[in-house]
Amino acid sequence: MAQQEKKNVLTPMDIHDKEFTLRGRKGYDRYEVDSFLDQIVDDYGDCLDNNVDLKNENVALKDKVKELESEVNRLDELRKSMTKS
């Protein structure tokens, strides 16, 4: 697989620090936007944490699979040697 370029990942702080320009008198309610962005920051941070946890679990499971495959190979070799006798 070709190595992909690493793109800039949006962080919770990027969301938190985002500023919007008010457009005339009919602009968005600043407090409503800020409240919504705070919710997004919290949810996005939780998703990032969950993603890290899942990646760690995936690594641990892959290690376990390798360990079990090795054990299966060892037992298969033992079985083969016993049937030769």
Side-chain angles (χ1 to χ4, degrees):
M1 179 181 343
Q3 187 175 4
Q4 296 176 348
E5 285 187 35
K6 204 171 195 184
K7 62 181 180 177
N8 290 338
V9 176
L10 188 65
T11 68
M13 284 308 296
D14 293 334
I15 297 168
H16 182 267
D17 294 341
K18 177 68 179 168
E19 293 287 330
F20 296 93
T21 305
L22 292 177
R23 300 283 180 190
R25 301 183 82 188
K26 297 200 183 234
Y28 294 109
D29 181 308
R30 178 182 188 101
Y31 298 107
E32 191 175 333
V33 171
D34 286 345
S35 175
F36 184 68
L37 288 176
D38 288 343
Q39 180 182 357
I40 292 171
V41 167
D42 291 341
D43 291 350
Y44 187 63
D46 291 344
C47 286
L48 291 176
D49 290 343
N50 190 36
N51 193 26
V52 168
D53 292 343
L54 290 171
K55 285 180 179 182
N56 290 336
E57 182 181 2
N58 189 32
V59 168
L61 290 171
K62 284 181 178 182
D63 289 344
K64 186 65 175 177
V65 165
K66 285 180 185 177
E67 178 186 322
L68 293 171
E69 285 174 340
S70 177
E71 181 68 8
V72 165
N73 290 336
R74 186 186 71 77
L75 292 172
D76 192 43
E77 289 299 319
L78 180 61
R79 181 188 55 81
K80 285 178 184 177
S81 69
M82 292 175 72
T83 57
K84 285 182 182 178
S85 302

